[in-house]
Amino acid sequence: EETAEEEIEGRLGAVAPARVEQVELLRREEDERHAEETRGPQSGLALESAPLALRADRGVVLAAVRRAGAALQFATEALQDDYEVVFAAVQQDGAALTFASKALRGNRSIVLAAVTQYGYAWHAASDALQADREVALAAVRAPGCGAVLESFSEALQGDLEVVLAAVQQDGTALEDASEALRGSREVVLAALRQNGLALKFTPEVFLTHREVVLTAVRQSGLALQFSQLREEREVVLVAVRQNWRAIEFASVALRRDPEVMAAAGSSVFSVARLSVPD
């Protein structure tokens, strides 16, 4: 298979001299992408300033979207409706689904590829595919995209597997689970292991549940503020060891407790040590 650079170079002789500069610009962008990874997937976006002939050239556009999926927005409508071009774009950047034709935003394979790469691409899918359980699962499993659960149908927000996948990516997605699943110990514990502050979204019965509260404060000491166990010494000790600022939410008596104060002080010292450069 030809490389992106070879595809572009292969067209140097096929375009008018006045367009050579545009093709060379695309090639330079490709080179920069390899040399400067920290810049992110910017190469390919030079397609924006390319003449129509190049934006309609399937090989040039394929080379561009393989480096920056968002370059799909500068392709001609015909290429935004080209399966291979769009598939390459969403594999590189799921958000590029926004620029695909209506027909391809309703194509299951394209949409699955997009949401697997970027869960929030779900918003650009057709109505039918937004209701698709497999698409929903792929979206919430995408790294950092669990909160897309907020936009799902009530049926999907009440689906145990979908909700578990969402809270494992983002514990605060618990807020958007159905009432029944927010009352599920399995779901609640999964959410708290990912983000202890999700304790805020649990039913009141869990705020006095020892295992649940301890799970929350182990992940984030500040979750103590949502607990009703602020007078329990063990819970407070775990919280302040995780984050010394949690002492603010302990009962008055425990804020004065020597061991709790010492644990908070030790936590502060640990943070200070981490903050001091070698």
Side-chain angles (χ1 to χ4, degrees), residues 12 20 41-42 44 51 54 72 79 87 118-119 125 132 136-137 176 190 241 251:
L12 281 172
V20 170
Q42 298 300 317
L54 289 181
L72 182 64
L79 291 177
F87 194 83
Y118 179 62
D132 185 290
L137 271 170
D176 302 304
R241 283 170 181 154
S251 66

Side-chain angles (χ1 to χ4, degrees), residues 60-79:
V60 170
V61 172
L62 264 173
V65 300
R66 283 172 179 158
R67 293 300 180 190
L72 182 64
Q73 66 189 292
F74 307 119
T76 59
E77 287 187 10
L79 291 177

Side-chain angles (χ1 to χ4, degrees), residues 39-243:
R39 290 175 53 202
Q42 298 300 317
S43 47
L45 295 181
L47 195 63
E48 178 180 12
S49 57
L52 179 60
L54 289 181
R55 290 188 286 112
D57 186 305
R58 191 170 184 274
V60 170
V61 172
L62 264 173
V65 300
R66 283 172 179 158
R67 293 300 180 190
L72 182 64
Q73 66 189 292
F74 307 119
T76 59
E77 287 187 10
L79 291 177
Q80 289 174 343
D81 191 43
D82 182 298
Y83 181 91
E84 186 181 358
V85 169
V86 173
F87 194 83
V90 300
Q91 279 191 312
Q92 199 285 322
D93 181 354
L97 183 63
T98 303
F99 310 114
S101 68
K102 183 177 181 180
L104 292 183
R105 284 187 280 115
N107 180 286
R108 201 161 184 273
S109 297
I110 293 279
V111 170
L112 277 171
V115 300
T116 297
Q117 200 283 328
Y118 179 62
Y120 291 101
W122 176 91
H123 290 284
S126 66
D127 290 346
L129 288 177
Q130 285 184 348
D132 185 290
R133 186 174 183 273
E134 187 179 355
V135 168
L137 271 170
V140 295
R141 283 173 175 158
C145 295
V148 73
L149 180 70
E150 176 185 10
S151 303
F152 287 2
S153 66
E154 288 186 7
L156 290 172
Q157 290 175 340
D159 184 302
L160 176 61
E161 188 178 1
V162 170
V163 171
L164 272 175
V167 299
Q168 285 167 354
Q169 284 295 330
D170 183 343
T172 65
L174 180 65
E175 180 181 13
D176 302 304
S178 67
E179 184 177 353
L181 290 183
R182 278 189 284 113
S184 162
R185 178 174 168 275
E186 179 184 10
V187 171
V188 167
L189 287 174
L192 298 177
R193 290 186 189 108
Q194 200 285 324
N195 188 336
L197 296 176
L199 186 64
K200 177 181 180 180
F201 306 118
T202 63
E204 189 171 355
V205 65
F206 287 122
L207 304 183
T208 56
H209 191 294
R210 189 177 182 78
E211 180 190 9
V212 167
V213 173
L214 279 171
T215 299
V217 297
R218 283 190 186 108
Q219 201 286 323
S220 173
L222 297 180
L224 184 64
Q225 65 189 291
F226 305 119
S227 164
Q228 293 179 12
L229 298 180
R230 292 186 247 177
E231 296 182 358
E232 285 217 14
R233 200 161 179 274
E234 182 188 355
V235 170
V236 171
L237 278 169
V238 170
V240 298
R241 283 170 181 154
Q242 200 285 323
N243 188 326

